[in-house]
Amino acid sequence: MAKLFVICGHGAGDPGCCAGGYTEAERVRALGRRIRALGGSEVELGDMSRNWYADGGINRLDTDAPVVELHMDASGIATAHGAHVIIKSGFEPDDYDKALADKLSAFMPGRAEKIVRHSELANVNRAAARGINYRLCENGFIDNDGDREKFNSNIDELARIYLESFGIKVTTSAPVQQTPLKQPAKQATVIESFGGRYRCTVFRLNVRSAPSLSGSVVASYGRGQTVVLDDWYKSADGYIWGRYTGGSGKVRYIAVGRATGKPEADDYLVKE
């Protein structure tokens, strides 16, 4: 019987956070595969072709094993770095949470808190409502060069942290993991082509202080107005968010369109 069920965040057209020629969805799937390869039959790897957030998969998940959902963070701030564990607000961390938080923060330090509580994250709430032993882990910041390099170069060490935290022995039959190319050409092309001048296609499009619907509205664009976005983008709350630096010198975020994995005719911002 499996001792750990692993969910890889984003996917199915949703890249998650993107930086340095990599996407969050691809990287956490690489980690998920290594956890499964090194952990053998004691690890069950959830269907990686799905987006477990978008399709509500936890609402139908049938497992008695503790669950971990893998993610990487992004902030747009080069100095932000480190890993941590997220659990449901009002819950106390169990032994799995504590072990995982201690090991992850030692492997990839930088967060003010090793364990944080959230009440607004869909899968955190879905798991809590069903009594599933669940935590979400941010494995560093994909837009921090140090975190990204540590993740890529030491992915088996990171995978072993998960296995050790859940009392799983490493199998000796797993093939050696090869270090990925630092700049996968296909993904880098996507990221490099994202930046540029965009035209607003809707009556009113909010500008926010953070790349999510929870960010404060600080300005807006109207139909026909243009904005120049840089090459960074992030998927959150079902949307792809672009970024630019305003006249005040502050970084601002704006929803480009729905997170479908490609430009759409009904996007809120269309590249000129």
Side-chain angles (χ1 to χ4, degrees):
M1 188 172 90
K3 293 184 178 179
L4 176 63
F5 190 97
V6 178
I7 293 173
C8 299
H10 302 284
D14 177 358
C17 304
C18 308
Y22 294 94
T23 70
E24 177 186 3
E26 184 277 327
R27 288 288 77 203
V28 298
R29 278 159 178 74
L31 175 57
R33 283 190 288 269
R34 294 310 294 164
I35 295 173
R36 174 64 177 86
L38 293 172
S41 61
E42 293 190 314
V43 175
E44 185 173 355
L45 185 57
D47 184 352
M48 294 193 298
S49 69
R50 298 168 52 180
N51 182 323
W52 285 73
Y53 160 75
D55 68 17
I58 286 181
N59 290 330
R60 301 178 297 279
L61 179 60
D62 182 16
T63 183
D64 293 325
V67 176
V68 63
E69 183 170 341
L70 305 175
H71 283 265
M72 294 186 78
D73 212 339
S75 70
I77 302 172
T79 55
H81 61 288
H84 69 184
V85 174
I86 295 172
I87 62 175
K88 170 71 174 174
S89 290
F91 283 22
E92 290 300 317
D94 62 14
D95 289 342
Y96 296 134
D97 298 323
K98 293 174 183 176
L100 193 52
D102 286 344
K103 293 177 186 296
L104 283 177
S105 62
F107 173 78
M108 201 174 285
R111 300 274 192 167
E113 296 180 86
K114 296 186 290 187
I115 299 176
V116 296
R117 295 168 174 81
H118 281 275
S119 61
E120 80 286 2
L121 299 178
N123 280 351
V124 172
N125 292 336
R126 290 164 178 163
R130 297 196 59 218
I132 295 173
N133 187 320
Y134 168 99
R135 69 280 305 141
L136 186 153
C137 296
E138 298 281 10
N139 294 275
F141 284 77
I142 197 170
D143 58 351
N144 178 276
D145 292 343
D147 279 4
R148 191 173 62 248
E149 177 63 23
K150 187 73 175 287
F151 184 107
N152 290 341
S153 299
N154 301 275
I155 195 167
D156 275 10
E157 182 180 348
L158 183 54
R160 288 187 177 93
I161 284 174
Y162 283 91
L163 299 176
E164 291 169 2
S165 298
F166 289 91
I168 300 171
K169 292 184 178 180
V170 175
T171 178
T172 58
S173 61
V176 176
Q177 172 68 17
Q178 299 297 319
T179 301
L181 295 174
K182 292 184 179 180
Q183 297 290 331
K186 183 176 181 181
Q187 292 177 3
T189 299
V190 172
I191 293 173
E192 289 171 1
S193 67
F194 186 81
R197 184 176 297 276
Y198 285 76
R199 175 174 47 84
C200 182
T201 66
V202 295
F203 176 73
R204 181 184 176 91
L205 183 60
N206 288 330
V207 177
R208 296 182 182 270
S209 60
S212 72
L213 295 177
S214 61
S216 301
V217 176
V218 295
S220 66
Y221 279 83
R223 185 179 287 114
Q225 289 186 293
T226 60
V227 59
V228 178
L229 303 180
D230 63 27
D231 285 335
W232 177 95
Y233 66 95
K234 176 181 180 179
S235 174
D237 299 331
Y239 301 97
I240 294 296
W241 298 84
R243 181 182 73 182
Y244 70 94
T245 302
S248 65
K250 295 182 178 179
V251 177
R252 300 305 189 192
Y253 303 89
I254 190 166
V256 175
R258 293 173 294 113
T260 64
K262 64 184 187 303
E264 301 288 356
D266 61 351
D267 280 346
Y268 314 135
L269 292 173
V270 175
K271 196 172 186 181
E272 293 190 326

